[in-house]
Amino acid sequence: MSFKYYCNWWIKNKHDLEQLTHEDDVFLKIPESVKERSIANKLVGGMYAKYCMLVQELDICLDQLAQPQKTVAVRKMVEAAVMRVKELYNELRWIDFSEYHYIDDSLVELKLVPYEIEIIHPYLSYPRPYDIQQMYERLKNNERIYSKPITPPSTLEQDQITEASQDEGGVPLEEGIEMSRKDKKKKRSRMQTPIIIEKKVELSPQEVERQNQESIVDAAIDLIQRHERARQARLYHKEIYAIYLMHQEEADKVQKEPSKIFTEEEKEKATRTLQRVYRGHFWRGYQKSREEERRIIIGMTEKSYRTRKEFEIEEKTIEERRKLRELRIKQYIDAHLAEKDRILRVVGPGLMEDIGDEIREWFYQWYIRAKNFDKIPPEEKGGTILVVRGETLTPEEWIEEVERKRREKVKAGGAKAEKAKLRAEKAKKKAAAKKEKKAKMAALKKAMKEKKKRRNDVANYQMEFDTPEGKAQYMEGEKEHMEIWDERDELLNPEETHYMDLITDQRCYEVQLEIRHKVDELMRLELELLNEALARDKNKKPKKPKKPKKKKKKGKKKPPKDITAHRSTEELFQELVDNGIIRLYPKTRLNEFIGDFSYNNFELRREEFLDPPPCLGDVRQAIVMNCILPLGLETCKERIRSMIICGPPLSGKKILSNAIFTATRCVLFDLSPQVLQGKYPGKPGLEMLIHMVMKMARILQPSILFIDGAEKPFYKKVPKEEKQMDPKRLGPALFKKVVKVIKPEDRVMLLGISSQPWAAGTKMKKVFDKAILIPRSDYGSVFLYWREQLMPYHSVDRNIDLSCLSKLTVNYPLGTIKEVTKKVMVPSRIVKLYYKPLRQMELYEPFTKIDPVTDKIWKKYQKWYARTPIGKLGKKFAKVNLVLREDLLKRREAEKKQDKKGKK
């Protein structure tokens, strides 16, 4: 796509974002809080759907924007929109007490379908520093990042080498005897290659006899096999030769028979018959192909071959734009450094003199008008910048202040009384400030407690509209965009290079601050000398300036000691790569997890007060909102630190995890027990491992710490076959040293997948903040998956009825369906498809030997999920809904009885 297209795309989406933000402001100004869950679901669901559609466009705009300076303002606005989507999603969670939301009424009003609001390809990702990104790119290209330096041999090893050379008849090098190059190479090869002496093993007579017997038997077997192969080859060629002779005899007979002479009329009649039959056959085939093309165009049938040309072109374009963006960022960084050097070289000396003259003029004015010198403000408050702005006292104001203090001192009764009064006032102000701070903290805690209580109250609902988290960030980005970028015509910069005037302004400001900081230090020393000279003129002892006391910050612990501070980032990275902890992952798109949305659950929730199980399509959106989007944000108040995905075997957990890795473009740290087996042994080794992983995860963020088999570190009882692996080794340290250490500003997440979550103890629930349970496969998802598996085979009937097969294979994991399809559609069966069409019974027969996810097994998953925080609230909410449903049924029965009485 062209540069002009991207410019117009961003302008359109920015206009839509401004319009939607205005609607959101009106939405937040609703005077009364909503107490009906159905109304709240409709209000929030409508805004959620609009924001989802907009975020899909905005994150692509941000990903494809190559101008590095404009990206800063655009990112603030896009991240504000993503934060708002996340807030609306969380509000829907507290309305339904579920991770899956159904907003069909809002979609009907907006004339949308669930697929249109699904964020299926999120591109939002905060870029890593250039050097870190280059290191990760080298790993993708299978390049080694760090190699240990080769250390020279010690003196002991050198002595051993010289002794070995003397034992072999060589001459020591110290004697100064020159050797030819060939002799040196031979000697070096003898010293480097170890001498291996083979020991001859003497066998007993019994063993020798046994070996002779075995060799005789082997020779006999070889002889029999050789003769049998020769016999079969002779029979095969004899049969082939007989068939050849038979065909030859038939051909000779045909040649000997007299040829029949046909008349012209018979020939013409035969020709017409052949033409009529062929033309009918050709026209029927043509009509059939036209009908197939029409059905493919309108989407009624599917092609067997799905070209990926369009996707490849799109991905190629996206990658080219990303490479251009990286190049522009590198050029922008180089321009920044070069401009800073230029400003320091050209403007720096003169600027330092100007600032010094300005401060000396300030000293002179003070001396002339007040016969004294004022203090230079401290650096943390701004230094001499406050003098330039005029935010310090003038000499006249200082004289008035001194005179006022003198009068107050006389009135109070002396210096001691004045000091006591000042101390009392200071203590009073400090106590008032402390009391005010304590009151604010108490009010904040009370508000948070009430909000949490209101959310967890399943019986009484009350939705209050809070100010969006990203409102200030959006306003800042919009203001920056308006001041800088609305005035510039982006079409005049098709190369999307940086603007030097912005860099110059920014660097001039930074250089001025740096130089002023240095000049302030010199001026403080000069001020001390001036004060000493002034004191000597007044015959007074010069006062020594008091050193500011460093305030100790209470309640803050010292940061932990970095035990790998002496090692470089490249060395740590390479060590983790060599141990298989940092590894690459297959590129997986989120839509490879096939599943349909639920179209009946909205009605069930509203009318029957039930919480029906979700469909597989609903899982994708939950994954995007909880895992992918938060890791792409630079700042996120409610970032999820840890997540576990549970589900039956072959239900798609690994596909989802790989899709999360691909979408976030993260660095993967694999902490699975099978990966850590035999690595970093002992308690010191475990501490070193966790330290290295957490340190590198912060450097390389976004990062994901992955555990395949998340229940294994928390086993209640370790299986015998896994005891050698020691799976519980990492479990005790996961909460304290991994999850608890992750801060809101860290884009790091612990992700686990599990097929048997009930096998773990209660500590696992403490480690993982949130859980997503993949449901059993539903009819719609299974139907889509069957077509996805069968349609790539060209000879399979496009109109094959898969409805009955889908109903029979419901509750079977989709991975099982894939394995069965591979077993049935072997090459020999694919060849026969043209004249022996595929039947549904062939596909169903293997399922008779495979057990589905039965109700008994599924109840284990439901029981475990009901003990999670959201599961407990959902269970309480279901009980309240059950009471409401019974009351509704009673009211309806009473109304029916009254109607019957009225008719009588």
Side-chain angles (χ1 to χ4, degrees):
M1 288 181 277
S2 65
F3 164 74
K4 188 176 180 181
Y5 178 84
Y6 282 114
C7 283
N8 294 331
W9 194 7
W10 163 244
I11 292 167
K12 176 185 173 297
N13 288 319
K14 182 179 178 295
H15 176 70
D16 294 343
L17 178 60
E18 290 172 354
Q19 195 172 1
L20 187 55
T21 307
H22 179 68
E23 288 181 25
D24 203 5
D25 292 338
V26 176
F27 172 70
L28 292 169
K29 289 176 183 177
I30 296 175
E32 296 180 1
S33 60
V34 180
K35 296 183 179 180
E36 187 67 34
R37 290 184 186 272
S38 58
I39 298 173
N41 186 75
K42 188 172 182 179
L43 288 172
V44 178
M47 293 302 299
Y48 172 73
K50 291 176 183 178
Y51 266 107
C52 282
M53 292 176 66
L54 185 60
V55 164
Q56 293 180 83
E57 303 289 331
L58 289 173
D59 64 350
I60 300 175
C61 285
L62 180 62
D63 182 67
Q64 298 298 289
L65 183 63
Q67 218 288 336
Q69 293 161 306
K70 190 177 179 180
T71 305
V72 179
V74 173
R75 178 170 286 279
K76 290 176 183 177
M77 300 169 74
V78 175
E79 286 192 355
V82 175
M83 287 180 194
R84 187 59 182 154
V85 168
K86 193 75 175 63
E87 285 175 346
L88 293 169
Y89 179 84
N90 291 335
E91 193 63 41
L92 286 171
R93 180 191 292 127
W94 298 118
I95 292 172
D96 301 323
F97 294 107
S98 174
E99 295 290 345
Y100 310 102
H101 316 305
Y102 311 108
I103 52 173
D104 296 12
D105 51 350
S106 301
L107 295 179
V108 169
E109 283 188 5
L110 297 170
K111 297 180 181 180
L112 300 171
V113 295
Y115 284 99
E116 291 180 308
I117 68 165
E118 184 183 12
I119 305 173
I120 195 67
H121 300 304
Y123 293 101
L124 188 70
S125 179
Y126 195 77
R128 297 184 182 90
Y130 184 76
D131 53 343
I132 299 297
Q133 183 62 27
Q134 289 301 311
M135 185 171 64
Y136 187 53
E137 291 297 329
R138 288 175 61 191
L139 171 64
K140 290 181 180 179
N141 297 331
N142 295 323
E143 296 180 20
R144 191 165 183 84
I145 296 157
Y146 177 83
S147 298
K148 289 185 178 180
I150 301 171
T151 56
S154 62
T155 54
L156 181 62
E157 292 175 353
Q158 289 177 354
D159 294 341
Q160 290 175 353
I161 291 169
T162 53
E163 288 176 5
S165 64
Q166 288 175 0
D167 292 340
E168 291 175 10
V171 182
L173 295 176
E174 288 80 2
E175 293 182 6
I177 300 174
E178 295 182 358
M179 292 186 289
S180 65
R181 290 184 179 180
K182 290 183 180 180
D183 294 337
K184 287 181 180 179
K185 284 182 181 179
K186 287 179 182 179
K187 184 176 180 182
R188 195 180 295 115
S189 63
R190 286 198 303 269
M191 288 190 292
Q192 288 177 355
T193 54
I195 300 169
I196 301 171
I197 301 172
E198 295 183 358
K199 294 182 179 179
K200 293 183 179 180
V201 181
E202 296 182 358
L203 300 175
S204 61
Q206 293 84 2
E207 290 177 345
V208 172
E209 186 179 355
R210 181 175 58 79
Q211 286 185 357
N212 293 334
Q213 291 292 333
E214 288 178 356
S215 62
I216 292 168
V217 171
D218 291 340
I221 291 170
D222 290 341
L223 181 64
I224 293 168
Q225 288 178 345
R226 191 162 54 251
H227 280 280
E228 177 63 21
R229 292 192 192 101
R231 187 184 68 82
Q232 289 181 4
R234 285 193 296 272
L235 287 174
Y236 173 74
H237 286 286
K238 188 177 180 181
E239 290 176 2
I240 293 295
Y241 185 66
I243 293 169
Y244 168 74
L245 291 176
M246 184 179 67
H247 287 306
Q248 194 69 27
E249 289 176 3
E250 290 178 356
D252 293 341
K253 286 180 183 179
V254 170
Q255 288 179 0
K256 288 178 183 178
E257 289 180 359
S259 59
K260 187 178 179 181
I261 300 171
F262 296 99
T263 62
E264 291 295 329
E265 293 179 358
E266 289 175 339
K267 289 180 180 179
E268 187 176 352
K269 186 179 179 181
T271 304
R272 287 176 179 174
T273 303
L274 288 171
Q275 287 178 348
R276 183 174 65 252
V277 172
Y278 176 73
R279 283 170 181 165
H281 168 72
F282 173 78
W283 186 252
R284 285 190 296 274
Y286 176 73
Q287 290 290 344
K288 185 179 179 182
S289 63
R290 285 286 302 273
E291 179 63 18
E292 286 179 357
E293 288 178 6
R294 187 183 71 83
R295 293 173 71 87
I296 287 169
I297 290 169
I298 63 178
M300 291 185 68
T301 57
E302 301 174 39
K303 289 183 179 180
S304 58
Y305 171 69
R306 299 176 187 175
T307 177
R308 287 194 56 83
K309 188 176 181 180
E310 290 81 6
F311 295 108
E312 289 172 359
I313 292 171
E314 181 188 3
E315 289 175 3
K316 185 179 178 181
T317 307
I318 288 172
E319 288 301 323
E320 284 177 358
R321 292 284 299 180
R322 285 177 182 164
K323 289 177 182 177
L324 177 65
R325 181 187 66 190
E326 291 173 4
L327 177 64
R328 294 289 179 261
I329 290 171
K330 186 176 182 299
Q331 292 173 351
Y332 176 65
I333 293 168
D334 294 341
H336 253 285
L337 298 174
E339 186 66 11
K340 184 178 180 181
D341 293 340
R342 188 188 71 82
I343 292 170
L344 284 171
R345 187 176 63 254
V346 175
V347 184
L351 187 62
M352 185 175 284
E353 290 180 6
D354 292 343
I355 294 172
D357 293 342
E358 188 179 29
I359 298 171
R360 290 189 186 96
E361 179 63 24
W362 181 61
F363 292 160
Y364 178 74
Q365 291 296 329
W366 264 83
Y367 182 74
I368 293 297
R369 294 156 65 182
K371 299 299 179 184
N372 206 334
F373 298 107
D374 193 12
K375 293 179 181 178
I376 295 177
E379 194 64 39
E380 56 269 13
K381 291 184 179 180
T384 56
I385 294 175
L386 300 178
V387 176
V388 177
R389 291 177 182 171
E391 296 179 8
T392 57
L393 292 174
T394 61
E396 290 78 10
E397 289 173 348
W398 179 78
I399 292 169
E400 289 177 6
E401 185 70 18
V402 170
E403 186 64 25
R404 184 185 62 80
K405 287 182 179 179
R406 188 188 64 77
R407 287 195 299 268
E408 288 180 358
K409 185 177 179 181
V410 171
K411 190 177 179 181
K416 290 183 179 179
E418 180 66 18
K419 286 182 180 179
K421 187 179 177 182
L422 288 173
R423 280 198 299 269
E425 287 179 0
K426 193 174 180 182
K428 192 176 180 181
K429 285 181 181 178
K430 193 174 180 181
K434 192 175 181 180
K435 189 177 179 181
E436 187 180 356
K437 187 179 178 182
K438 196 174 180 181
K440 282 183 180 179
M441 290 298 294
L444 184 63
K445 284 182 180 179
K446 187 179 179 182
M448 293 294 292
K449 193 175 181 181
E450 286 178 357
K451 188 175 181 181
K452 189 176 180 181
K453 186 179 179 182
R454 189 170 64 252
R455 282 183 168 181
N456 295 344
D457 190 359
V458 296
N460 302 313
Y461 176 74
Q462 184 178 0
M463 185 179 73
E464 293 183 358
F465 303 100
D466 299 331
T467 305
E469 179 188 346
K471 183 69 175 177
Q473 189 172 349
Y474 171 78
M475 296 302 293
E476 184 183 346
E478 188 181 28
K479 183 180 177 183
E480 185 178 342
H481 195 281
M482 192 180 299
E483 290 177 353
I484 300 174
W485 303 107
D486 284 356
E487 298 176 357
R488 297 175 187 264
D489 189 359
E490 287 295 303
L491 295 175
L492 298 177
N493 184 18
E495 297 295 326
E496 297 186 81
T497 54
H498 52 267
Y499 292 94
M500 280 305 300
D501 57 330
L502 297 177
I503 294 176
T504 304
D505 293 344
Q506 185 181 354
R507 279 306 183 184
C508 281
Y509 178 72
E510 292 173 1
V511 167
Q512 187 179 6
L513 290 179
E514 290 179 13
I515 292 176
R516 186 171 288 277
H517 176 67
K518 293 176 182 177
V519 173
D520 283 358
E521 292 178 0
L522 296 173
M523 289 297 107
R524 284 189 176 88
L525 297 173
E526 193 169 328
L527 182 61
E528 288 179 18
L529 297 174
L530 289 172
N531 283 324
E532 289 176 3
L534 184 64
R536 283 195 299 269
D537 291 344
K538 294 180 180 180
N539 296 322
K540 293 180 180 179
K541 290 183 179 180
K543 293 181 180 179
K544 293 182 179 180
K546 295 180 181 179
K547 292 183 181 179
K549 294 181 180 179
K550 293 182 180 179
K551 294 182 180 179
K552 294 182 180 179
K553 294 181 180 179
K554 295 181 180 179
K556 287 194 175 182
K557 297 180 181 178
K558 290 183 179 179
K561 187 179 178 181
D562 187 0
I563 56 178
T564 55
H566 61 287
R567 300 176 67 183
S568 64
T569 303
E570 290 79 6
E571 184 181 356
L572 297 176
F573 186 85
Q574 188 63 53
E575 182 178 338
L576 292 173
V577 171
D578 293 341
N579 287 320
I581 295 168
I582 293 180
R583 65 173 176 86
L584 299 176
Y585 42 83
K587 191 175 181 180
T588 309
R589 297 172 75 90
L590 196 59
N591 57 359
E592 291 181 26
F593 181 79
I594 296 170
D596 199 8
F597 289 96
S598 52
Y599 302 102
N600 192 34
N601 288 358
F602 174 76
E603 300 294 334
L604 291 174
R605 272 188 180 176
R606 188 177 65 174
E607 294 183 1
E608 300 188 13
F609 299 99
L610 296 174
D611 189 16
C615 295
L616 295 179
D618 302 317
V619 176
R620 289 197 300 264
Q621 194 72 347
I623 290 292
V624 170
M625 289 296 171
N626 291 307
C627 299
I628 297 175
L629 288 183
L631 280 179
L633 296 173
E634 183 184 6
T635 56
C636 186
K637 192 183 289 183
E638 295 184 4
R639 201 189 299 279
I640 296 170
R641 299 179 299 176
S642 54
M643 163 78 74
I644 183 170
I645 302 173
C646 302
L650 301 176
S651 59
K653 297 183 291 297
K654 288 190 177 179
I655 292 177
L656 284 175
S657 57
N658 288 329
I660 292 169
F661 306 150
T662 305
T664 56
R665 298 194 281 279
C666 70
V667 177
L668 176 61
F669 294 80
D670 197 341
L671 301 180
S672 305
Q674 56 269 25
V675 175
L676 299 181
Q677 183 179 358
K679 295 167 187 173
Y680 299 97
K683 191 174 179 181
L686 182 63
E687 289 179 358
M688 174 62 76
L689 169 67
I690 293 173
H691 169 76
M692 289 171 62
V693 167
M694 294 307 297
K695 180 180 178 180
M696 294 303 298
R698 287 195 181 94
I699 293 172
L700 300 167
Q701 58 183 321
S703 306
I704 292 181
L705 316 180
F706 178 64
I707 301 178
D708 185 4
E711 77 279 358
K712 293 178 180 179
F714 310 97
Y715 265 142
K716 295 176 184 174
K717 186 179 179 182
V718 181
K720 289 183 180 179
E721 60 272 12
E722 295 183 14
K723 281 186 178 179
Q724 186 180 1
M725 195 165 55
D726 192 13
K728 295 181 72 174
R729 178 175 171 233
L730 190 64
L734 276 177
F735 180 71
K736 289 184 179 179
K737 297 184 179 180
V738 176
V739 176
K740 206 173 179 182
V741 175
I742 299 174
K743 300 175 183 177
E745 60 269 17
D746 296 334
R747 290 179 299 119
V748 180
M749 186 176 69
L750 176 66
L751 178 67
I753 60 174
S754 174
S755 298
Q756 295 178 334
W758 58 82
T762 55
K763 290 183 180 179
M764 187 174 78
K765 294 172 190 173
K766 189 179 179 182
V767 169
F768 293 101
D769 296 338
K770 193 162 288 189
I772 288 182
L773 179 61
I774 299 177
R776 291 188 289 182
S777 56
D778 55 282
Y779 169 76
S781 301
V782 171
F783 184 83
L784 288 176
Y785 199 74
W786 271 120
R787 293 199 68 83
E788 182 73 20
Q789 292 298 312
L790 295 176
M791 289 303 107
Y793 299 100
H794 180 69
S795 299
V796 173
D797 185 12
R798 305 289 103 181
N799 297 319
I800 185 172
D801 185 10
L802 297 173
S803 179
C804 57
L805 184 62
S806 301
K807 288 179 180 178
L808 290 171
T809 53
V810 166
N811 295 338
Y812 281 95
L814 299 185
T816 306
I817 294 174
K818 186 176 182 180
E819 289 180 356
V820 167
T821 307
K822 286 183 177 179
K823 287 180 181 177
V824 173
M825 303 303 289
V826 292
S828 59
R829 183 66 185 92
I830 295 170
V831 171
K832 298 176 185 176
L833 284 174
Y834 185 74
Y835 58 87
K836 186 181 178 182
L838 184 68
R839 295 181 299 108
Q840 293 88 335
M841 195 60 195
E842 292 180 63
L843 296 167
Y844 180 67
E845 279 179 3
F847 286 98
T848 57
K849 300 175 185 178
I850 303 171
D851 294 329
V853 182
T854 58
D855 293 339
K856 185 179 179 182
I857 297 172
W858 183 243
K859 280 178 182 177
K860 290 184 178 180
Y861 288 100
Q862 288 180 322
K863 188 178 178 182
W864 176 84
Y865 188 73
R867 292 174 184 169
T868 59
I870 195 72
K872 290 176 182 177
L873 291 172
K875 199 173 180 181
K876 290 180 184 177
F877 187 53
K879 289 179 181 178
V880 173
N881 283 340
L882 185 62
V883 174
L884 291 173
R885 185 167 181 264
E886 289 176 355
D887 292 342
L888 182 63
L889 292 173
K890 286 178 182 178
R891 270 190 264 117
R892 286 179 180 176
E893 288 177 1
E895 287 174 2
K896 285 180 182 179
K897 287 180 181 178
Q898 287 179 0
D899 291 341
K900 286 180 181 179
K901 287 179 182 179
K903 287 179 182 179
K904 289 180 180 179

